[in-house]
């Protein structure tokens, strides 16, 4: 007879495991949890003999894996609502960036903010993600762009992971923009970001992955390759903001380095899609940014499907181009704008998003051996998670076997 801390029963499971029914659905399901992990998941009628210290009856609610937001810029100072007004007035994102706005305006506010202030504002934004079922979140640096400020951001991200009831994966995004003080000598800034800031952040244990922004308004493939070479030398996985505003070869570069993911990818060409497929690179779709920038070029969804490129969905929560703090909103937008099916979008926010963070063995499905990270929903069918826009649907969350409403 097996022992468990908790039996979760009287529920319907969307396990999101591959190879079975739609959503991996089990209509009358149960879960056994011990020491923060799932030790059994299946139909209640097949429940093995067990002793459970606590029994949770969920009244027929649906249970999914906790959602995984695999691309955010959650930690930053200030906001850019003024730029939002400018874009509504006709200014483009590139025009605002070249005039000194965009990312560099967030840099000034982030540098000026204390760690406590950055933590408080990030936790306030995180509340929206948690209320929409998120139990794992990726947080990037990239609004500091000097050593002290980049490490400050990453320390805040680590603190959030310790204190805020979510799992956190950090990404060093030193090649996000050229800071104002290096505008006339970008090569020196690349040297600093690659040779000094990244090793310092890694030495302090603050980096889980390395990211970059590969665009004509940001950094070239050659500059990004230098960063990725250093990341690989340090044993760190890489990911990339790729082909968002133009076809700059970002997806192919990500594939060449075996990246966890290539993100945005609206302008990725056929060769880039095939390279991603061959290398197993996840395409992270960011429909919030696509909406806010009023883009018209869609990611190559059908080519991704044909070539077997896995598609994740994330909020891209950031102050300039995607002030989205709702994971279910991102799921809805992925369906409405990009024509993902509700099952594809939910897989993209669970199983595939976990893969985009290198966490597929830990989270993303309801299977024995995975962390007991769950979201419990007041819905009648899983498609409602893609259908409703703005309606509260979450009943409660569990992280590592502990309920957190």
């Amino acid at each position: 007879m097996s022992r468990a801390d908790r039996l979760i029963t009287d529920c319907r499971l969307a396990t999101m495991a591959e190879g079975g029914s739609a959503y991996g659905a089990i209509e009358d399901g149960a879960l056994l949890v011990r020491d923060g992990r799932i030790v059994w998941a299946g139909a209640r009628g097949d429940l093995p003999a067990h002793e459970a210290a606590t029994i949770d009856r969920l009244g027929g609610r649906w249970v999914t894996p906790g959602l995984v937001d695999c691309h955010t810029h959650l930690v930053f100072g200030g906001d850019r609502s003024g730029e939002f007004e400018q874009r509504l007035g006709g200014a483009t994102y590139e025009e605002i960036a070249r005039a000194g706005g965009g990312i560099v305006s967030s840099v000034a506010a982030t540098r000026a903010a204390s760690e406590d202030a950055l933590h408080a504002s990030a936790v306030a934004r995180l509340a929206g993600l948690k209320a929409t079922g998120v139990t794992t979140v990726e947080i990037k640096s990239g609004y500091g762009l000097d050593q002290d400020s980049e490490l400050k951001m990453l320390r805040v991200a680590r603190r959030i992971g310790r204190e805020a009831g979510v799992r956190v994966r950090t990404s060093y995004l030193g090649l996000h923009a050229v800071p104002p003080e290096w505008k006339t000598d970008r090569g020196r800034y690349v040297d600093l970001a690659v040779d000094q800031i990244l090793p310092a952040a890694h030495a302090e244990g603050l980096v889980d992955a390395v990211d970059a922004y590969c665009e004509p308004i940001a950094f070239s493939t050659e500059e990004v390759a230098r960063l990725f070479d250093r990341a690989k030398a340090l044993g760190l996985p890489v990911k990339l903001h790729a082909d968002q505003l133009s076809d700059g070869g970002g997806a192919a570069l990500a594939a060449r380095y075996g990246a966890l993911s290539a993100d945005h990818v609206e302008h990725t060409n056929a060769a880039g899609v095939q390279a991603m497929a061959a290398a197993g690179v996840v395409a992270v779709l960011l429909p919030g940014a696509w909406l806010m920038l009023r883009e018209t070029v869609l990611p190559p969804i059908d080519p991704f499907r044909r070539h077997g490129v896995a598609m994740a969905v994330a909020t891209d929560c950031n102050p300039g181009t995607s002030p989205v703090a709702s994971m279910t909103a991102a799921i809805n937008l992925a369906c409405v704008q990009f024509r993902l099916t509700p099952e594809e979008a939910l897989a993209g926010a669970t199983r595939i998003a976990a893969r985009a963070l290198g966490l597929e063995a830990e989270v993303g499905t309801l299977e024995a051996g995975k962390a007991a990270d769950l979201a419990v929903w007041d819905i009648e069918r899983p498609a409602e998670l893609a259908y409703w826009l703005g309606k509260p649907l979450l009943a409660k969350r569990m992280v590592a076997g502990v309920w957190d409403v």
Side-chain angles (χ1 to χ4, degrees):
M1 180 178 293
S2 64
R3 296 183 179 275
D5 301 326
R6 192 177 298 275
L7 166 65
I8 299 170
T9 188
D10 188 17
C11 60
R12 293 173 280 181
L13 305 180
T15 68
M16 303 312 296
E18 291 186 274
S21 59
Y23 301 98
I26 300 172
E27 286 290 335
D28 185 8
L31 297 159
L32 290 173
V33 174
R34 183 175 66 243
D35 297 330
R37 308 194 80 81
I38 298 168
V39 294
W40 185 87
R44 180 160 53 168
D46 297 330
L47 192 65
H50 64 278
E51 291 181 359
T54 303
I55 299 175
D56 296 317
R57 294 181 173 85
L58 299 184
R61 291 181 173 89
W62 277 95
V63 181
T64 70
L67 303 189
V68 178
D69 193 350
C70 64
H71 182 127
T72 86
H73 304 253
L74 197 68
V75 174
F76 58 84
D79 74 66
R80 280 152 55 191
S81 55
E83 292 179 15
F84 175 63
E85 289 185 302
Q86 287 180 270
R87 290 201 306 274
L88 291 177
T92 68
Y93 179 65
E94 294 94 328
E95 289 168 346
I96 292 170
R98 293 190 189 281
I103 293 166
V104 295
S105 65
S106 291
V107 170
T110 301
R111 288 177 173 180
S114 68
E115 286 192 22
D116 284 344
L118 290 174
H119 179 267
S121 64
V123 167
R125 288 184 283 273
L126 178 66
L129 300 181
K130 291 169 64 176
T132 52
V134 170
T135 55
T136 298
V137 61
E138 184 255 18
I139 301 176
K140 304 179 191 294
S141 68
Y143 293 127
L145 305 185
D146 63 33
Q147 183 166 320
D148 289 346
S149 301
E150 286 290 292
L151 269 59
K152 176 174 65 174
M153 292 184 69
L154 291 167
R155 290 189 196 107
V156 170
R158 284 283 191 245
R159 179 179 169 189
I160 290 168
R162 292 192 303 269
E163 299 177 2
V166 291
R167 298 178 190 274
V168 169
R169 298 290 280 183
T170 61
S171 294
Y172 168 68
L173 183 57
L175 295 190
H176 195 196
V178 178
E181 65 269 26
W182 295 107
K183 192 171 182 179
T184 60
D185 195 355
R186 61 181 291 124
R188 290 279 301 280
Y189 175 68
V190 173
D191 291 343
L192 177 69
V194 172
D195 298 329
Q196 182 173 320
I197 303 177
L198 173 56
H202 176 62
E204 201 171 314
L206 299 175
V207 184
D208 295 319
V210 173
D211 198 350
Y213 186 24
C214 187
E215 283 287 345
I217 65 169
F219 295 92
S220 69
T221 55
E222 293 79 14
E223 290 166 330
V224 172
R226 280 196 56 206
L227 176 69
F228 283 5
D229 286 338
R230 176 54 65 95
K232 290 296 187 180
L234 293 172
L236 294 168
V238 300
K239 53 208 294 105
L240 186 64
H241 289 62
D243 305 335
Q244 178 187 11
L245 305 174
S246 61
D247 179 7
L253 178 67
R256 176 154 60 98
Y257 280 88
L260 291 171
S261 68
D263 302 25
H264 290 289
V265 294
E266 285 94 329
H267 291 266
T268 295
N269 61 29
V273 171
Q274 292 174 29
M276 289 175 65
V281 177
V282 173
V284 177
L285 307 179
L286 303 170
W290 196 88
L291 172 72
M292 294 299 293
L293 291 175
R294 302 173 72 180
E295 294 289 349
T296 57
V297 177
L298 291 164
I301 302 299
D302 286 337
F304 285 151
R305 288 179 178 134
R306 284 197 305 272
H307 290 281
V309 176
M311 293 180 285
V313 174
T315 64
D316 194 14
C317 180
N318 75 68
T321 61
S322 189
V324 176
S326 165
M327 196 63 200
T328 50
I331 290 171
N332 171 278
L333 293 173
C335 294
V336 173
Q337 296 179 151
F338 297 163
R339 297 297 188 264
L340 266 62
T341 68
E343 184 179 4
E344 284 178 320
L346 186 54
T350 53
R351 180 180 72 244
I352 298 169
R355 179 177 156 191
L357 296 180
L359 291 177
E360 62 269 36
E362 183 72 8
V363 298
T365 61
L366 302 180
E367 296 180 280
K370 297 286 184 77
D373 291 5
L374 319 174
V376 181
W377 306 94
D378 287 319
I379 56 177
E380 286 302 315
R381 53 198 304 262
E384 288 188 58
L385 297 177
Y387 170 68
W388 291 106
L389 184 59
K391 179 181 178 182
L393 301 173
L394 187 74
K396 55 184 176 178
R397 301 180 319 135
M398 172 181 282
V399 179
V402 178
W403 290 118
D404 173 31
V405 177

